[in-house]
Amino acid sequence: RETHADFVQPKLEAGVIGSVEKKATFWSYFYCSLKRNENSSSKKRPGILSAVRDPYVVAATSLYAMIAFIQIMGDELYTIWAVAEYNEGGIEFSSDYLGITLTIGGLTLLLTQLFWFPWFSKYMKPLRIFQVGLFICAPIYFVFPWVREIYIPPYELMSTSRKICLWAVLLTLVIIRIFAAIQAFTTSMIITNNSVTPERLGSANGLGQSMASGMRAAGPFLAGALWTWSQSNGLEYPFNYHFVWIMLAVLSVGAGLVALCLPKTLNSPRVPPKDQNADTTPILSSDPEQPEKHAEPKAYGSLSQS
């Protein structure tokens, strides 16, 4: 005759055995994971310092930070200038009118990213797109403050033809500026990714994002401070309300000229060396007569290669 103990005892034994097996499986997996981590950590992995030592990475991330600085400064300056009083160099837009221009700019950005850039990038290399975008932005920034010459305050008393002219010129500048800026900004990120081999991709992007974040923090402050200075210095053109716009145009041209010095190899992903443990950082020769030595394929030349 079976008792209650005869029925319960096998269940308890099965439960204890199952629990022990699960714990043994867990600790076995945990031990193997530790071993794998020890083995992987013993291998040399490129860090952020190796990315900083690479001139390709420094050049690409510096351009990325520069375009971030120019664009955030332009965004901040536009909103200040659009709502500023006429005697301060602005066009006295209300928040509603400013919102309309910003909305159209946002739609331009969305349509450019979705439709234009994927098609256009098939016919032009990233470095060329970057340069063209910046060289288009430069004259746009220069022309922006001259829109004030069309505006005659107050807005409500302006003739219909003058209002149409004001809106047509302003929206054209806004659309072209967003269109050109997104070309340069998108390709700057592509160039950053192309400046490193796959194992350094995280370090390069982290460095680029850190530099760009610092520039995005400084841009609005500098734009506001320079605009305030231009209003209070009492100086004539170009140090009046035109000054910050001219500075943005000069920065755009400067960044575009620097991009002309970058090697064309940044148009495509960087090929890792055959020896995965080799240091891919270019070794700069101390002798000016000797060329630079690289531990990577010869496809990557020096930064002076055009």
Side-chain angles (χ1 to χ4, degrees):
R1 180 181 178 184
E2 294 183 357
T3 62
H4 180 70
D6 296 331
F7 177 78
V8 172
Q9 184 175 359
K11 302 291 184 181
L12 291 175
E13 291 176 353
V16 171
I17 294 173
S19 177
V20 172
E21 288 178 348
K22 290 179 179 178
K23 291 180 179 179
T25 302
F26 169 77
W27 287 111
S28 176
Y29 175 79
F30 181 71
Y31 176 77
C32 293
S33 298
L34 288 178
K35 283 296 184 182
R36 284 196 297 268
N37 291 335
E38 289 176 1
N39 294 334
S40 61
S41 61
S42 62
K43 298 179 181 179
K44 183 180 179 181
R45 291 174 178 246
I48 188 68
L49 292 180
S50 64
V52 174
R53 290 172 52 207
D54 193 326
Y56 299 110
V57 178
V58 173
T61 53
S62 297
L63 283 182
Y64 178 50
M66 180 58 67
I67 191 65
F69 176 75
I70 293 172
Q71 298 311 320
I72 194 65
M73 195 172 176
D75 291 340
E76 179 71 15
L77 181 59
Y78 173 75
T79 56
I80 295 174
W81 167 81
V83 300
E85 298 292 332
Y86 180 79
N87 57 3
E88 296 176 350
I91 54 176
E92 299 182 350
F93 262 20
S94 65
S95 57
D96 293 338
Y97 292 158
L98 176 62
I100 292 173
T101 62
L102 295 178
T103 301
I104 293 176
L107 291 175
T108 303
L109 186 151
L110 179 63
L111 295 176
T112 301
Q113 285 282 58
L114 288 178
F115 301 107
W116 170 260
F117 187 80
W119 173 83
F120 185 61
S121 60
K122 297 178 182 179
Y123 302 96
M124 190 174 288
K125 299 297 184 180
L127 276 174
R128 186 63 64 194
I129 297 175
F130 181 82
Q131 296 157 7
V132 170
L134 284 172
F135 290 146
I136 292 176
C137 282
I140 296 299
Y141 284 130
F142 182 81
V143 171
F144 252 114
W146 293 101
V147 176
R148 175 180 178 270
E149 304 303 321
I150 305 175
Y151 176 72
I152 299 178
Y155 179 84
E156 292 74 15
L157 299 182
M158 287 175 57
S159 64
T160 303
S161 60
R162 186 171 285 270
K163 289 181 180 178
I164 293 175
C165 182
L166 173 65
W167 278 98
V169 172
L170 181 61
L171 292 180
T172 299
L173 293 177
V174 168
I175 291 173
I176 295 177
R177 183 230 164 195
I178 295 296
F179 174 81
I182 202 63
Q183 310 299 313
F185 194 82
T186 304
T187 50
S188 68
M189 292 186 285
I190 296 175
I191 293 170
T192 299
N193 290 338
N194 289 345
S195 68
V196 289
T197 50
E199 66 271 11
R200 287 182 178 176
L201 190 59
S203 298
N205 276 277
L207 177 63
Q209 290 294 339
S210 299
M211 295 173 65
S213 297
M215 291 298 185
R216 290 190 183 102
F221 168 78
L222 187 60
L226 289 176
W227 175 264
T228 302
W229 174 80
S230 68
Q231 300 298 314
S232 58
N233 59 25
L235 300 176
E236 299 295 329
Y237 180 88
F239 298 103
N240 54 3
Y241 60 89
H242 287 262
F243 177 73
V244 192
W245 293 107
I246 294 175
M247 190 180 76
L248 285 175
V250 171
L251 288 175
S252 298
V253 172
L257 293 177
V258 170
L260 290 174
C261 302
L262 293 179
K264 294 180 180 179
T265 45
L266 291 179
N267 287 322
S268 57
R270 191 168 180 177
V271 180
K274 293 181 180 180
D275 183 5
Q276 295 296 330
N277 294 324
D279 187 4
T280 60
T281 302
I283 303 174
L284 302 181
S285 174
S286 58
D287 186 358
E289 300 296 330
Q290 297 294 329
E292 297 177 3
K293 300 178 181 179
H294 298 267
E296 54 185 305
K298 295 182 179 180
Y300 268 83
S302 65
L303 285 179
S304 61
Q305 178 183 351
S306 57

